[in-house]
Structure formats: C-alpha cells, structure tokens
Amino acid sequence: METTLRGVGVSHGVAIGEVRHMGTAVLEPPAKQITADEAEREQGRARKAVEAVSADLMARGQLAGGEAQHVLEAQAMIATDPELMADVDRRIAVGSTAERGVYDAFASYRDLLAGAGEYMAGRVADLDDVRNRIVARLLGVPMPGVPDSDEPYVLIARDLAPADTALLDPALVLGFVTEEGGPTSHSAILARALGVPAIVALPGACEIAEGTVIAVDGSTGDLFVEPTAEKRAELEAAAAERKAALAASSGPGATSDGHKVPLLANVGGPADVLAAVEAGAEGVGLFRTEFLFLDDSKKAPSEEKQIESYRKVLEAFPEGRVVVRVLDAGADKPLEFLTPADEPNPALGVRGLRSLLDHPDVLRTQLTALAKAAEGLPVYLEVMAPMVADRIDAKAFADACREAGLKAKFGAMVEIPSAALRARSILQEVEFLSLGTNDLAQYAFAADRQVGAVSRLQDPWQPALLDLIAMSAEAARAEGKSCGVCGEAASDPLLACVLTGLGVTSLSMGAASIPYVRATLAKYTLAQCERAAAAARAADSAEEARVAAQAVLSGE
C-alpha cells in the first residue's frame, strides 16, 4: 500500500528504485587496559592510523575534485587535530588501548559540541566518520560504507559523511535519503553537486525495509513507499517534462517578459569552474576563498599562492561578474593563526569579518592578492565581507579595500538580522549586498543550520526570512544598488521566482541548479513573481508560503 513521507528536499530530480541501507557504524571497542610499558607502542599505533585515515581522505578528495575535495580536505584536518591527538595520547598513557583512546577522545569532543549547541555541532557527522575510520583501521575491520550492489538503488542512511557522499556513483545510486542532516549540510551540498536527487531530515527513513521500492522527489521532499503504477507514471512524466524544459532553456537568466535575473555560480576554487561554465553561469556570485586557507590551519597562504588561485577563477569569466567573499573563518572553519580557541560559542563570537579586522595583515594580503590577480583581465571583480553587522563593520571593510588599492566594487553579506534591518545604513558604505540565506535563517531563528531536529526553522520559505530578504532588497533599490542571494535558497526554482518578486537582482547557486532555475524563471512574468512573493510573505508557515506561491504561479 502506498504511503507518503515528507522530509526536506535538497537536490532536484526523481529517483525510483529499491532501498539499500548504509552499512552499520563501527562497534564500540572494548575497554581493555594496557600496561605502562605498552603505552608508547599504542600511541604509535594511534598516530599511524590517524595519518593513514587523513591521507585516505585527502586522496578521496583529489579523486572527487570540486566542492567535494574542499570538504574532504577539511575533514582530513579533523583527523590530525593536535588537541584531539593530545587527548588520545593522554588516555593511552593512563591505560587505554589505541582504539579505545581514539574512541573516547572523539566521544568527549562530540559531546562537548552537541551539548553546547554550537555551530560546529553541524559537523558531528563528519567527526563520527573520522572516528569510525580510525577505529576500524586499528581494529583491522572494514569501514562500513556504501553497500555493494550491481543494480541501481536508492540509498538510505541515518546520515552520510562527506567521504561517502563524494564518491557515490550516480550510475548506481539513483538518489539518497537520510534521517539526519539539514538543507545546508555537507551531504546536501555534495548531492546537488553530483546532481543526485536527495531528501534529508526524514524521520523514520531507516525503518524502511531493505529491498522496498520507493520513489524520491528531491524537489518537494516527498518520499513514496511502494508507489502505485499511477504515482510512478505521474512522477516519471513530471521528470520527463522537467528534463525537456532544461534542454530547451539556455542563455541569460530572465523572466518570460524579459526582466533580467543574472544566474551566477557558487564556487570554492578553480576545480569548480568547469561545471559552472558548462551550466551556463553568467559569472560567480560566491567565490568561497576560505578553502584555500584550510590547506594549512597554522598559517595563511602566501600572496603568490592566493594570486594564482584567484586568477584561475577570474580568467574563466571574461566580461563576467565574479563576487569574491574574503576569508570567512571561525565557527566550523577554525584556523589556528586567526580564530580564538576558547570561545564558548564560536558562531556568536569572533568569526568572518571580525576575525579579519583583528588581523589586518591577513585581510590586507588577501585584498592585495585579489587586486593583483585581476590586473589586465576584463572581469567585473566584486569583493564582499562576511558577517557584517552594521555600518561600522561595512566602513571598516571598505576602508581596508581602498587602502589595498583594490579596483573593485565593495559589498557586504547580509547574514545577521541586524544587517537586514539596517541595510540602507550599510549601503552608505558599500556598493552592493549579498544575502547568505543559510546563516541569515540560522541567526534569525536561533536554529543551527546543520541540525535536522530544527530543520523546520531552516527552511528558506519561512515568511520571516522572506521579510528580511525583502527589507534588504527594498533598501538596495532605494539606494540604486544591487542585492543578490548566494545562499541555498537560490537553488530552489520556485523560490527563485519568489526572490525575484521580492526585488533580488541576481541569484547564485551550485552549478547543477542553474538549468532548473533558468527554465523555471523563463515560464513566468515579473508581475507573476511579485504576486507569488506577496502571497508567500502573507503566509504563516514555510509550507503555507510554498503552497501559496505555487498557487499564484500555476494560476489557481
């Protein structure tokens, strides 16, 4: 009998197939005691296992490339974190085996993060995966992971670590569903990069029996258990219609009546450029430069290394717009040379622009490198600061850009509600705004963007979030300046129409989403988008907002 479950759709498309479950987690190692004479040997075993796992994650990243490489390299850094390793050594010194010392040290850190409710708690799945890989190596057992199957299937897991998601074979894994995670988790981001339909934060998903036929709609978040023939035909027809629309869509982003909405790509570095170009991106709306800095958490990359990396991206978009976000460190992206190590809540502490203003030499070097990278190139360079709270922040950033001799537009990200509320004031100092809807939702609703239990409040359709976006867009229009969206909200085709109706002037997203957004925008006039936006803002919940906007656009 067909039943319907609802999660959070995070990657477009429809997948129909049999369920396969992710392998179970590594069992807890026994609490066996060792003698003092064995401690040094066990510490050596632990270090070798850590080094091997870190190397494996780096290798997986190089194989996967693009966004996945950045994520896996960051995960490899977790494995070799000096504080964690010092804790492992201490536990072994007082009698733990290598595997038990690793397990307990990671468990202690995990509990600290989860219990404190920090932004870093969103990386608990990554931490568990690293721990499991190290313990499995020490125990000499295979690391549980993606099931071995010769036939295509839909993967179900409690959560997926980046190391597993990055190397999924789209020819075999038709789609995936997780009980945990959120719309901006690493798994969701990588699913979009792979173009695999996916649903996250779906309660009870792991209770669906192995071999059960399910249908996954990654656009709506609906999962149909044992779908009827009629439902399968309906979903397949909708998927075919969507595919045909994508094939027919090309060129710059615009509504059906010619209102231009530039569609830009979010990239993490040169490896992501090819996919952006192939998707028809009109430029880059978010160049995340922090991944360059995560290669070595102890020191900033040299000016020369930064110039080389930036220039590769700038060269790919001649006559195009490239918006660079300066280093966004802190919270889940700690850097030893930059961010405080003892903050009780890093998400609310010294992160983003605050870190850079405390270390002006790091900011100056980055801005100088960007200036030199753009020399002689016919590119429209724009540089923006993360975590801008008010006009004082905006002025400090703009002054730093001028002092570095940067010939570019200076902008501010709207990720803190205060920035949306005082957007017009901020625009007295900078030339454009860019809305980071992921963090804006997190701070507006006090809801960690990586925790599945509060995914309802992370939904970008929340009317309160739409109100903040509208405030920012209205302020920019009043000042004759631009206001784009570079958060995950822009990757939802229906929501892209609403954002356009709210007055947003450009949309930036993962490359895989660009064709979907382009095709959907082209179906509606600007007036229809404006009516859909008004209907969504008048709703009282995210679901009501989505339904209201859809009703307007479908003419109901």
Side-chain angles (χ1 to χ4, degrees), residues 297 360 504:
S297 67
V504 166

Side-chain angles (χ1 to χ4, degrees), residues 37-360:
D37 293 340
E38 297 174 301
E40 187 175 348
R41 182 197 66 194
E42 291 296 291
Q43 288 169 341
R45 286 182 63 225
R47 280 192 292 274
K48 286 181 181 178
V50 165
E51 291 166 1
V53 167
S54 178
D56 178 61
L57 290 168
M58 293 291 285
R60 284 170 177 258
Q62 290 174 359
L63 183 62
E67 184 82 38
Q69 182 171 359
H70 303 312
V71 172
L72 290 172
E73 286 175 352
Q75 199 180 16
M77 288 175 60
I78 294 175
T80 56
D81 181 88
E83 289 187 18
L84 267 173
M85 283 311 301
D87 192 14
V88 171
D89 283 341
R90 282 193 296 271
R91 292 173 186 275
I92 294 173
V94 295
S96 290
T97 61
E99 47 267 37
R100 189 70 208 192
V102 168
Y103 186 90
D104 288 342
F106 273 73
S108 176
Y109 192 38
R110 183 190 198 280
D111 291 344
L112 175 67
L113 296 179
E118 298 175 359
Y119 180 76
M120 185 68 170
R123 296 296 179 251
V124 164
D126 298 8
L127 192 71
D128 287 349
D129 181 62
V130 172
R131 177 202 65 198
N132 289 347
R133 291 178 186 279
I134 298 171
V135 171
R137 183 172 288 274
L138 287 165
L139 291 174
V141 300
M143 175 64 195
V146 177
D148 185 18
S149 175
D150 294 329
E151 298 297 324
Y153 59 91
V154 178
L155 180 64
I156 290 184
R158 188 160 301 282
D159 205 347
L160 280 171
D164 294 315
T165 314
L167 297 183
L168 291 179
D169 181 357
L172 284 176
V173 181
L174 302 172
F176 69 76
V177 181
T178 66
E179 282 200 6
E180 301 294 333
T184 57
S185 65
H186 278 157
S187 293
I189 292 170
L190 294 178
R192 286 187 285 272
L194 287 167
V196 176
I199 298 174
V200 300
L202 195 154
C206 291
E207 297 172 14
I208 301 174
E210 185 95 1
T212 303
V213 175
I214 63 173
V216 174
D217 189 333
S219 300
T220 65
D222 289 329
L223 183 149
F224 304 93
V225 181
E226 298 289 3
T228 63
E230 290 78 11
K231 176 58 70 175
R232 293 179 66 156
E234 177 188 327
L235 290 170
E236 287 168 350
E241 181 182 348
R242 197 177 295 143
K243 187 175 181 180
L246 293 179
S249 174
S250 62
T255 58
S256 63
D257 57 341
H259 175 72
K260 293 182 179 180
V261 187
L263 302 181
L264 313 171
N266 295 343
V267 304
D272 297 331
V273 166
L274 180 59
V277 172
E278 290 179 345
E282 297 168 60
V284 172
L286 174 61
F287 179 4
R288 304 182 183 96
T289 60
E290 61 268 16
F291 291 113
L292 181 61
F293 288 76
L294 290 173
D295 287 344
D296 185 347
S297 67
K298 294 183 175 61
K299 63 179 181 180
S302 67
E303 182 181 303
E304 291 72 24
K305 183 176 181 179
Q306 292 188 54
I307 293 171
E308 180 184 4
S309 180
Y310 302 152
R311 195 169 180 89
K312 286 178 181 177
V313 175
L314 297 176
E315 286 175 337
F317 295 95
E319 306 296 335
R321 177 187 179 200
V322 176
V323 184
V324 179
R325 180 177 69 192
V326 294
L327 176 60
D328 184 15
D332 69 328
K333 299 183 286 281
L335 295 172
E336 290 181 36
F337 67 89
L338 195 68
T339 51
D342 56 352
E343 288 186 312
N345 193 336
L348 301 180
V350 182
R351 63 168 296 200
L353 179 61
R354 300 167 186 175
S355 295
L356 294 174
L357 295 178
D358 280 351
H359 297 79

Side-chain angles (χ1 to χ4, degrees), residues 457-474:
L457 298 172
Q458 301 157 0
D459 192 324
W461 281 94
Q462 283 285 355
L465 182 63
L466 299 181
D467 287 344
L468 292 171
I469 293 170
M471 279 184 182
S472 304
E474 288 164 7

